[in-house]
């Protein structure tokens, strides 16, 4: 039996890649899309960022109102790859309609995550939220956590396309969270360090520095630089195409079908 999927943000770069992935997977069936416009149209009537051979999915309906979509379309999985505020409301509604969710939207606040977690538990519905669905990026974060125990002087440089609205990225924040599990707080650099231009040294989290770069031509990139006595360790990951995230999305779909709670971070469903 196919897993029936609704996707939010079909015209976006990530949304188009998700549609491409779902339509190619024999175990998945695309049954609906949520878009901020194009209500009442079908998938064949809108322009996708990525070319997709729609075949039997040409007549998949599009809804502007997520509640209407969840009420009218029978689905097992909801995939949201939009923006934080929209993604939060969409996911909240999906859980309330007993639809399991896979969410790649970064930028949720801790309060929003707590609310979604409580909602998932009360509705006995699984939900996986991942700041990054690239398997290599998840490994990069785990390796950084391991290294931080031995190299407490750390700077993070994350680079994304110029249309990304949140900074630092969800991946960088998740990396910081993991690092703090194994690193003792430490103020790095010279105690009398002065910024001639405010913000030059980046953000400060427990003494670590984090820098966000936004430029056209980039997709998603991060390096974590560890300084030690006479040595430097750099752990780096690059996503050159949004297709790199789809293996993680597929993994999350398969996993969330067996879950009845919210899971934050793809590392929690990987085997190490």
């Amino acid at each position: 039996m196919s897993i029936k999927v609704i996707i939010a943000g079909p015209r976006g770069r990530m949304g188009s890649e998700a549609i491409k992935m779902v339509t190619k997977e024999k175990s998945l069936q695309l049954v609906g899309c949520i878009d901020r416009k194009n209500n009442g149209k079908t998938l064949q009537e809108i322009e996708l960022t990525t070319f997709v051979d729609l075949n039997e999915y040409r007549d998949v309906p599009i809804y502007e109102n997520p509640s209407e979509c969840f009420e009218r379309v029978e689905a097992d999985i909801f995939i949201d790859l939009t923006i934080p505020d929209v993604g939060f409301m969409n996911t909240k509604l999906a859980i309330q309609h007993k639809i399991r969710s896979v969410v790649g939207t970064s930028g949720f606040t801790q309060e929003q995550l707590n609310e979604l977690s409580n909602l998932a538990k009360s509705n006995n519905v699984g939900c996986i939220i991942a700041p990054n669905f690239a398997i290599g990026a998840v490994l990069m974060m785990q390796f950084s956590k391991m290294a931080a125990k031995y190299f407490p002087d750390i700077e993070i440089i994350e680079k994304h396309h110029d249309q990304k609205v949140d900074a630092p990225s969800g991946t960088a924040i998740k990396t910081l969270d993991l690092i703090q599990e194994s690193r003792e707080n430490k103020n790095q650099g010279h105690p009398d360090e002065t910024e001639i231009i405010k913000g030059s040294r980046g953000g400060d989290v427990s003494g670590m520095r984090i820098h966000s770069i936004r430029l056209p031509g980039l997709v998603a990139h991060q390096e974590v630089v560890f300084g030690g006595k006479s040595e430097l360790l750099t752990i780096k990951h690059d996503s050159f195409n949004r297709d790199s995230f789809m293996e993680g999305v597929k993994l999350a779909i398969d996993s969330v079908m067996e879950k009845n709670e919210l899971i934050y971070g793809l590392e929690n469903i990987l085997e190490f």
Side-chain angles (χ1 to χ4, degrees), residues 5 7-10 12-25 27-28 50 52 79-82 102-105 130 132-138 219 237 239-254 266 269:
V5 179
I7 295 177
R13 293 183 178 92
M14 283 288 286
S16 289
E17 285 292 344
I19 288 173
K20 183 179 179 181
M21 181 273 291
V22 169
T23 56
K24 284 185 174 182
E25 288 287 337
S27 63
L28 305 178
T50 301
V52 181
I79 300 175
D80 191 284
L81 301 165
T82 59
V102 172
V103 185
T105 306
N132 197 318
F133 279 111
I135 304 297
V138 176
V219 178
H237 177 263
S239 283
F240 300 108
N241 188 291
R242 286 165 182 81
D243 181 54
S244 64
F245 304 114
M246 293 305 114
E247 282 299 316
V249 172
K250 178 60 170 60
L251 181 68
I253 290 172
D254 293 337
L266 201 64
I269 62 173

CSV table of all heavy atoms in Angstrom, one decimal, residues 5 7-10 12-25 27-28 50 52 79-82 102-105 130 132-138 219 237 239-254 266 269:
chain,number,residue,atom,x,y,z
A,5,VAL,N,0.9,11.3,0.4
A,5,VAL,CA,1.7,12.5,0.8
A,5,VAL,C,1.0,13.8,0.3
A,5,VAL,O,0.6,13.9,-0.8
A,5,VAL,CB,3.1,12.4,0.3
A,5,VAL,CG1,3.9,13.6,0.7
A,5,VAL,CG2,3.8,11.1,0.7
A,7,ILE,N,2.3,17.9,0.1
A,7,ILE,CA,3.5,18.7,0.2
A,7,ILE,C,3.1,20.2,0.2
A,7,ILE,O,2.3,20.6,-0.7
A,7,ILE,CB,4.4,18.4,-1.0
A,7,ILE,CG1,4.9,17.0,-1.0
A,7,ILE,CG2,5.6,19.4,-1.1
A,7,ILE,CD1,5.8,16.6,-2.1
A,8,ALA,N,3.7,20.9,1.1
A,8,ALA,CA,3.5,22.4,1.1
A,8,ALA,C,4.6,23.1,0.4
A,8,ALA,O,5.8,22.6,0.6
A,8,ALA,CB,3.3,22.9,2.5
A,9,GLY,N,4.3,24.1,-0.3
A,9,GLY,CA,5.4,24.9,-1.0
A,9,GLY,C,5.9,24.2,-2.3
A,9,GLY,O,7.1,24.2,-2.5
A,10,PRO,N,5.0,23.8,-3.2
A,10,PRO,CA,5.4,23.1,-4.4
A,10,PRO,C,6.2,23.9,-5.4
A,10,PRO,O,7.0,23.3,-6.1
A,10,PRO,CB,4.0,22.6,-5.0
A,10,PRO,CG,3.0,23.7,-4.5
A,10,PRO,CD,3.5,24.0,-3.1
A,12,GLY,N,8.4,26.2,-4.6
A,12,GLY,CA,9.8,26.5,-4.1
A,12,GLY,C,10.8,25.5,-4.5
A,12,GLY,O,10.5,24.4,-5.0
A,13,ARG,N,12.1,25.8,-4.3
A,13,ARG,CA,13.1,24.9,-4.8
A,13,ARG,C,13.1,23.6,-4.0
A,13,ARG,O,13.2,22.5,-4.6
A,13,ARG,CB,14.5,25.6,-4.6
A,13,ARG,CG,14.7,26.8,-5.5
A,13,ARG,CD,16.1,27.4,-5.3
A,13,ARG,NE,16.4,28.5,-6.2
A,13,ARG,CZ,16.2,29.7,-5.9
A,13,ARG,NH1,15.7,30.1,-4.7
A,13,ARG,NH2,16.5,30.7,-6.7
A,14,MET,N,12.9,23.6,-2.7
A,14,MET,CA,12.9,22.4,-1.9
A,14,MET,C,11.6,21.7,-2.2
A,14,MET,O,11.5,20.4,-2.3
A,14,MET,CB,13.0,22.7,-0.4
A,14,MET,CG,14.4,23.0,0.0
A,14,MET,SD,15.4,21.5,0.0
A,14,MET,CE,14.8,20.7,1.5
A,15,GLY,N,10.5,22.4,-2.3
A,15,GLY,CA,9.2,21.8,-2.6
A,15,GLY,C,9.2,21.0,-3.9
A,15,GLY,O,8.6,19.9,-4.0
A,16,SER,N,9.7,21.6,-4.9
A,16,SER,CA,9.8,21.0,-6.2
A,16,SER,C,10.6,19.7,-6.2
A,16,SER,O,10.3,18.7,-6.8
A,16,SER,CB,10.4,22.0,-7.3
A,16,SER,OG,9.5,23.0,-7.6
A,17,GLU,N,11.8,19.8,-5.5
A,17,GLU,CA,12.6,18.6,-5.3
A,17,GLU,C,11.8,17.5,-4.6
A,17,GLU,O,12.0,16.3,-4.9
A,17,GLU,CB,13.9,18.9,-4.6
A,17,GLU,CG,14.9,19.7,-5.4
A,17,GLU,CD,15.5,18.9,-6.5
A,17,GLU,OE1,15.4,17.6,-6.5
A,17,GLU,OE2,16.1,19.5,-7.4
A,18,ALA,N,11.1,17.9,-3.6
A,18,ALA,CA,10.3,16.9,-2.8
A,18,ALA,C,9.2,16.2,-3.8
A,18,ALA,O,9.0,15.0,-3.7
A,18,ALA,CB,9.6,17.5,-1.6
A,19,ILE,N,8.6,17.0,-4.6
A,19,ILE,CA,7.6,16.5,-5.5
A,19,ILE,C,8.3,15.5,-6.5
A,19,ILE,O,7.8,14.4,-6.8
A,19,ILE,CB,6.9,17.6,-6.3
A,19,ILE,CG1,6.0,18.4,-5.4
A,19,ILE,CG2,6.1,17.1,-7.5
A,19,ILE,CD1,5.3,19.6,-6.0
A,20,LYS,N,9.4,15.9,-7.0
A,20,LYS,CA,10.2,15.0,-7.9
A,20,LYS,C,10.5,13.7,-7.2
A,20,LYS,O,10.4,12.6,-7.8
A,20,LYS,CB,11.5,15.7,-8.3
A,20,LYS,CG,12.4,15.0,-9.3
A,20,LYS,CD,13.6,15.8,-9.6
A,20,LYS,CE,14.5,15.1,-10.6
A,20,LYS,NZ,15.7,15.9,-10.9
A,21,MET,N,11.0,13.8,-5.9
A,21,MET,CA,11.3,12.5,-5.2
A,21,MET,C,10.1,11.7,-5.0
A,21,MET,O,10.1,10.5,-5.2
A,21,MET,CB,12.0,12.9,-3.9
A,21,MET,CG,12.4,11.7,-3.0
A,21,MET,SD,11.1,11.1,-1.9
A,21,MET,CE,10.9,12.5,-0.7
A,22,VAL,N,9.0,12.3,-4.5
A,22,VAL,CA,7.8,11.5,-4.2
A,22,VAL,C,7.2,10.8,-5.5
A,22,VAL,O,6.8,9.7,-5.4
A,22,VAL,CB,6.7,12.4,-3.5
A,22,VAL,CG1,5.4,11.7,-3.5
A,22,VAL,CG2,7.2,12.8,-2.2
A,23,THR,N,7.2,11.5,-6.6
A,23,THR,CA,6.6,11.0,-7.8
A,23,THR,C,7.5,9.8,-8.4
A,23,THR,O,7.0,9.0,-9.2
A,23,THR,CB,6.4,12.1,-8.9
A,23,THR,OG1,7.7,12.7,-9.1
A,23,THR,CG2,5.4,13.1,-8.4
A,24,LYS,N,8.8,9.8,-8.0
A,24,LYS,CA,9.6,8.7,-8.4
A,24,LYS,C,9.6,7.5,-7.5
A,24,LYS,O,9.9,6.4,-8.0
A,24,LYS,CB,11.1,9.2,-8.5
A,24,LYS,CG,11.4,10.1,-9.7
A,24,LYS,CD,12.8,10.4,-9.8
A,24,LYS,CE,13.2,11.2,-11.1
A,24,LYS,NZ,14.6,11.5,-11.1
A,25,GLU,N,9.2,7.7,-6.3
A,25,GLU,CA,9.2,6.6,-5.3
A,25,GLU,C,7.9,5.7,-5.4
A,25,GLU,O,6.8,6.3,-5.3
A,25,GLU,CB,9.3,7.1,-3.9
A,25,GLU,CG,10.7,7.6,-3.5
A,25,GLU,CD,11.7,6.5,-3.4
A,25,GLU,OE1,11.3,5.4,-3.1
A,25,GLU,OE2,12.9,6.8,-3.5
A,27,SER,N,6.8,3.6,-3.4
A,27,SER,CA,6.1,3.4,-2.2
A,27,SER,C,5.3,4.7,-1.7
A,27,SER,O,4.6,4.6,-0.7
A,27,SER,CB,7.1,3.1,-1.1
A,27,SER,OG,8.0,4.1,-0.9
A,28,LEU,N,5.5,5.8,-2.5
A,28,LEU,CA,4.8,7.0,-2.1
A,28,LEU,C,3.8,7.5,-3.2
A,28,LEU,O,4.0,7.2,-4.4
A,28,LEU,CB,5.9,8.1,-1.9
A,28,LEU,CG,7.0,7.9,-0.9
A,28,LEU,CD1,8.0,9.0,-0.9
A,28,LEU,CD2,6.4,7.6,0.5
A,50,THR,N,11.9,23.0,-10.3
A,50,THR,CA,12.6,21.8,-10.8
A,50,THR,C,11.7,21.1,-11.8
A,50,THR,O,10.5,20.9,-11.6
A,50,THR,CB,13.0,20.9,-9.7
A,50,THR,OG1,13.8,21.6,-8.7
A,50,THR,CG2,13.8,19.6,-10.2
A,52,VAL,N,9.8,18.3,-13.3
A,52,VAL,CA,9.2,17.0,-12.8
A,52,VAL,C,8.4,16.4,-13.9
A,52,VAL,O,7.5,17.0,-14.4
A,52,VAL,CB,8.4,17.2,-11.5
A,52,VAL,CG1,7.9,15.9,-11.0
A,52,VAL,CG2,9.2,17.9,-10.5
A,79,ILE,N,4.4,16.9,4.2
A,79,ILE,CA,5.8,17.4,4.1
A,79,ILE,C,5.8,18.9,4.0
A,79,ILE,O,5.1,19.5,3.1
A,79,ILE,CB,6.5,16.8,2.9
A,79,ILE,CG1,6.6,15.3,3.0
A,79,ILE,CG2,7.9,17.4,2.8
A,79,ILE,CD1,7.2,14.7,1.7
A,80,ASP,N,6.4,19.6,4.9
A,80,ASP,CA,6.5,21.1,4.9
A,80,ASP,C,7.9,21.6,4.7
A,80,ASP,O,8.8,21.2,5.5
A,80,ASP,CB,5.9,21.7,6.1
A,80,ASP,CG,5.8,23.2,6.0
A,80,ASP,OD1,6.8,23.9,6.0
A,80,ASP,OD2,4.6,23.7,5.8
A,81,LEU,N,8.2,22.3,3.6
A,81,LEU,CA,9.5,22.8,3.3
A,81,LEU,C,9.4,24.3,2.9
A,81,LEU,O,9.8,24.8,1.9
A,81,LEU,CB,10.1,22.0,2.1
A,81,LEU,CG,10.3,20.5,2.3
A,81,LEU,CD1,10.5,19.8,1.1
A,81,LEU,CD2,11.4,20.3,3.3
A,82,THR,N,8.6,25.0,3.8
A,82,THR,CA,8.3,26.4,3.5
A,82,THR,C,9.2,27.4,4.3
A,82,THR,O,10.4,27.3,4.3
A,82,THR,CB,6.8,26.7,3.7
A,82,THR,OG1,6.5,26.4,5.0
A,82,THR,CG2,6.0,25.9,2.7
A,102,VAL,N,6.6,15.6,8.3
A,102,VAL,CA,8.1,15.7,8.1
A,102,VAL,C,8.4,17.1,7.7
A,102,VAL,O,7.9,17.6,6.7
A,102,VAL,CB,8.5,14.7,7.0
A,102,VAL,CG1,10.0,15.0,6.6
A,102,VAL,CG2,8.3,13.3,7.4
A,103,VAL,N,9.1,17.8,8.5
A,103,VAL,CA,9.3,19.2,8.4
A,103,VAL,C,10.7,19.6,8.2
A,103,VAL,O,11.6,19.3,9.1
A,103,VAL,CB,8.7,20.0,9.6
A,103,VAL,CG1,8.7,21.5,9.4
A,103,VAL,CG2,7.2,19.5,9.9
A,104,GLY,N,11.0,20.3,7.1
A,104,GLY,CA,12.4,20.8,6.9
A,104,GLY,C,12.6,22.3,7.0
A,104,GLY,O,13.6,22.8,6.6
A,105,THR,N,11.6,22.9,7.6
A,105,THR,CA,11.6,24.4,7.8
A,105,THR,C,12.4,24.7,9.0
A,105,THR,O,12.1,24.3,10.1
A,105,THR,CB,10.2,24.9,7.9
A,105,THR,OG1,9.4,24.5,6.8
A,105,THR,CG2,10.2,26.4,8.0
A,130,ALA,N,13.6,18.5,11.1
A,130,ALA,CA,15.1,18.4,10.9
A,130,ALA,C,15.6,19.7,10.3
A,130,ALA,O,15.1,20.1,9.3
A,130,ALA,CB,15.5,17.2,10.0
A,132,ASN,N,18.3,20.0,8.9
A,132,ASN,CA,19.0,19.7,7.7
A,132,ASN,C,18.7,18.2,7.4
A,132,ASN,O,18.9,17.4,8.2
A,132,ASN,CB,20.5,20.0,7.8
A,132,ASN,CG,21.2,20.0,6.5
A,132,ASN,OD1,20.9,19.2,5.6
A,132,ASN,ND2,22.1,21.0,6.3
A,133,PHE,N,18.3,17.9,6.2
A,133,PHE,CA,18.0,16.6,5.8
A,133,PHE,C,19.1,15.9,5.0
A,133,PHE,O,19.0,14.7,4.6
A,133,PHE,CB,16.7,16.5,4.9
A,133,PHE,CG,15.4,16.5,5.7
A,133,PHE,CD1,14.6,17.6,5.7
A,133,PHE,CD2,15.1,15.4,6.5
A,133,PHE,CE1,13.4,17.6,6.4
A,133,PHE,CE2,13.9,15.4,7.3
A,133,PHE,CZ,13.1,16.5,7.2
A,134,ALA,N,20.2,16.6,4.8
A,134,ALA,CA,21.4,16.0,4.2
A,134,ALA,C,22.1,15.1,5.1
A,134,ALA,O,22.5,15.5,6.2
A,134,ALA,CB,22.3,17.1,3.6
A,135,ILE,N,22.3,13.8,4.8
A,135,ILE,CA,22.9,12.8,5.7
A,135,ILE,C,24.3,13.3,6.0
A,135,ILE,O,24.7,13.2,7.2
A,135,ILE,CB,23.0,11.4,5.0
A,135,ILE,CG1,21.6,11.0,4.6
A,135,ILE,CG2,23.6,10.4,5.9
A,135,ILE,CD1,20.6,10.8,5.7
A,136,GLY,N,25.0,13.8,5.1
A,136,GLY,CA,26.4,14.3,5.4
A,136,GLY,C,26.4,15.4,6.4
A,136,GLY,O,27.3,15.5,7.2
A,137,ALA,N,25.4,16.3,6.3
A,137,ALA,CA,25.3,17.4,7.3
A,137,ALA,C,25.1,16.9,8.7
A,137,ALA,O,25.6,17.4,9.7
A,137,ALA,CB,24.2,18.4,6.9
A,138,VAL,N,24.3,15.9,8.8
A,138,VAL,CA,24.0,15.3,10.1
A,138,VAL,C,25.2,14.7,10.7
A,138,VAL,O,25.5,14.8,11.9
A,138,VAL,CB,22.8,14.3,10.0
A,138,VAL,CG1,22.6,13.6,11.3
A,138,VAL,CG2,21.6,14.9,9.5
A,219,VAL,N,24.1,27.2,-1.9
A,219,VAL,CA,22.9,26.4,-1.5
A,219,VAL,C,22.9,26.3,0.0
A,219,VAL,O,22.2,27.0,0.7
A,219,VAL,CB,22.9,25.0,-2.2
A,219,VAL,CG1,21.7,24.2,-1.8
A,219,VAL,CG2,22.9,25.2,-3.8
A,237,HIS,N,30.9,20.5,5.4
A,237,HIS,CA,29.9,19.9,4.6
A,237,HIS,C,29.3,20.9,3.6
A,237,HIS,O,29.1,22.0,3.9
A,237,HIS,CB,28.7,19.3,5.4
A,237,HIS,CG,27.7,18.7,4.5
A,237,HIS,ND1,26.5,19.3,4.2
A,237,HIS,CD2,27.6,17.5,3.9
A,237,HIS,CE1,25.8,18.6,3.4
A,237,HIS,NE2,26.4,17.4,3.2
A,239,SER,N,26.3,21.2,0.4
A,239,SER,CA,25.2,20.7,-0.4
A,239,SER,C,25.2,21.6,-1.7
A,239,SER,O,25.0,22.8,-1.6
A,239,SER,CB,23.8,20.8,0.3
A,239,SER,OG,23.7,19.8,1.2
A,240,PHE,N,25.5,20.9,-2.8
A,240,PHE,CA,25.6,21.7,-4.1
A,240,PHE,C,24.2,21.7,-4.8
A,240,PHE,O,24.0,22.5,-5.7
A,240,PHE,CB,26.6,21.1,-5.0
A,240,PHE,CG,28.0,21.1,-4.3
A,240,PHE,CD1,28.6,19.9,-3.9
A,240,PHE,CD2,28.7,22.2,-4.1
A,240,PHE,CE1,29.8,19.9,-3.3
A,240,PHE,CE2,29.9,22.2,-3.5
A,240,PHE,CZ,30.5,21.1,-3.1
A,241,ASN,N,23.3,20.9,-4.4
A,241,ASN,CA,22.0,20.8,-5.1
A,241,ASN,C,21.0,20.3,-4.0
A,241,ASN,O,21.3,19.5,-3.1
A,241,ASN,CB,22.0,19.8,-6.2
A,241,ASN,CG,20.8,19.9,-7.1
A,241,ASN,OD1,19.7,19.4,-6.6
A,241,ASN,ND2,20.9,20.4,-8.3
A,242,ARG,N,19.8,20.8,-4.1
A,242,ARG,CA,18.8,20.5,-3.1
A,242,ARG,C,18.3,19.0,-3.2
A,242,ARG,O,17.7,18.5,-2.3
A,242,ARG,CB,17.5,21.4,-3.3
A,242,ARG,CG,17.9,22.8,-2.7
A,242,ARG,CD,16.9,23.9,-3.2
A,242,ARG,NE,17.2,25.2,-2.7
A,242,ARG,CZ,18.2,26.0,-3.2
A,242,ARG,NH1,18.8,25.6,-4.4
A,242,ARG,NH2,18.5,27.1,-2.7
A,243,ASP,N,18.7,18.3,-4.2
A,243,ASP,CA,18.5,16.9,-4.3
A,243,ASP,C,19.2,16.2,-3.2
A,243,ASP,O,18.9,15.1,-2.8
A,243,ASP,CB,19.0,16.4,-5.7
A,243,ASP,CG,18.8,14.9,-5.8
A,243,ASP,OD1,17.6,14.5,-5.7
A,243,ASP,OD2,19.8,14.2,-6.1
A,244,SER,N,20.3,16.8,-2.6
A,244,SER,CA,21.1,16.2,-1.6
A,244,SER,C,20.2,16.0,-0.3
A,244,SER,O,20.6,15.2,0.6
A,244,SER,CB,22.3,17.1,-1.2
A,244,SER,OG,21.9,18.3,-0.7
A,245,PHE,N,19.1,16.7,-0.2
A,245,PHE,CA,18.3,16.6,1.0
A,245,PHE,C,17.2,15.5,0.9
A,245,PHE,O,16.6,15.1,1.9
A,245,PHE,CB,17.6,17.9,1.3
A,245,PHE,CG,18.5,19.1,1.4
A,245,PHE,CD1,18.5,20.1,0.5
A,245,PHE,CD2,19.4,19.2,2.5
A,245,PHE,CE1,19.3,21.2,0.6
A,245,PHE,CE2,20.2,20.3,2.6
A,245,PHE,CZ,20.2,21.3,1.7
A,246,MET,N,17.0,15.0,-0.3
A,246,MET,CA,15.9,14.1,-0.5
A,246,MET,C,16.0,12.7,0.1
A,246,MET,O,15.1,12.1,0.5
A,246,MET,CB,15.5,14.0,-1.9
A,246,MET,CG,15.0,15.3,-2.5
A,246,MET,SD,13.6,16.0,-1.6
A,246,MET,CE,14.2,17.5,-0.9
A,247,GLU,N,17.3,12.2,0.2
A,247,GLU,CA,17.5,10.9,0.9
A,247,GLU,C,17.0,11.0,2.4
A,247,GLU,O,16.5,10.1,2.9
A,247,GLU,CB,18.9,10.5,0.8
A,247,GLU,CG,19.3,9.9,-0.6
A,247,GLU,CD,18.5,8.7,-0.9
A,247,GLU,OE1,18.3,7.8,-0.1
A,247,GLU,OE2,18.0,8.6,-2.1
A,248,GLY,N,17.4,12.1,3.0
A,248,GLY,CA,17.0,12.3,4.4
A,248,GLY,C,15.5,12.5,4.5
A,248,GLY,O,14.9,12.0,5.5
A,249,VAL,N,14.8,13.1,3.6
A,249,VAL,CA,13.4,13.3,3.6
A,249,VAL,C,12.7,11.9,3.5
A,249,VAL,O,11.8,11.6,4.2
A,249,VAL,CB,12.9,14.2,2.5
A,249,VAL,CG1,11.4,14.2,2.4
A,249,VAL,CG2,13.4,15.7,2.7
A,250,LYS,N,13.2,11.1,2.6
A,250,LYS,CA,12.6,9.8,2.4
A,250,LYS,C,12.8,8.9,3.6
A,250,LYS,O,11.9,8.2,4.1
A,250,LYS,CB,13.3,9.1,1.2
A,250,LYS,CG,12.8,7.7,0.9
A,250,LYS,CD,11.3,7.6,0.7
A,250,LYS,CE,10.9,6.2,0.2
A,250,LYS,NZ,11.1,5.1,1.1
A,251,LEU,N,14.0,9.0,4.2
A,251,LEU,CA,14.3,8.3,5.5
A,251,LEU,C,13.3,8.7,6.6
A,251,LEU,O,12.8,7.9,7.3
A,251,LEU,CB,15.7,8.5,5.9
A,251,LEU,CG,16.2,7.9,7.2
A,251,LEU,CD1,16.3,6.4,7.0
A,251,LEU,CD2,17.6,8.4,7.6
A,252,ALA,N,13.1,10.0,6.7
A,252,ALA,CA,12.2,10.6,7.7
A,252,ALA,C,10.7,10.1,7.5
A,252,ALA,O,10.0,9.8,8.4
A,252,ALA,CB,12.2,12.1,7.7
A,253,ILE,N,10.3,10.0,6.2
A,253,ILE,CA,9.0,9.5,5.9
A,253,ILE,C,8.8,8.1,6.4
A,253,ILE,O,7.8,7.8,7.1
A,253,ILE,CB,8.7,9.6,4.4
A,253,ILE,CG1,8.6,11.1,3.9
A,253,ILE,CG2,7.4,8.9,4.0
A,253,ILE,CD1,8.5,11.3,2.4
A,254,ASP,N,9.8,7.3,6.1
A,254,ASP,CA,9.7,5.9,6.5
A,254,ASP,C,9.7,5.7,8.0
A,254,ASP,O,9.0,4.9,8.6
A,254,ASP,CB,10.9,5.1,5.9
A,254,ASP,CG,10.8,5.0,4.4
A,254,ASP,OD1,9.7,5.1,3.8
A,254,ASP,OD2,11.9,4.8,3.8
A,266,LEU,N,17.5,14.8,12.5
A,266,LEU,CA,17.6,13.6,11.8
A,266,LEU,C,18.5,12.6,12.5
A,266,LEU,O,18.4,11.4,12.3
A,266,LEU,CB,18.1,13.9,10.4
A,266,LEU,CG,17.8,12.8,9.3
A,266,LEU,CD1,16.3,12.7,9.0
A,266,LEU,CD2,18.5,13.2,8.0
A,269,ILE,N,17.1,9.4,14.2
A,269,ILE,CA,16.6,8.2,13.5
A,269,ILE,C,17.7,7.5,12.7
A,269,ILE,O,17.4,6.5,12.0
A,269,ILE,CB,15.4,8.6,12.6
A,269,ILE,CG1,15.8,9.6,11.5
A,269,ILE,CG2,14.3,9.2,13.4
A,269,ILE,CD1,14.7,9.8,10.5
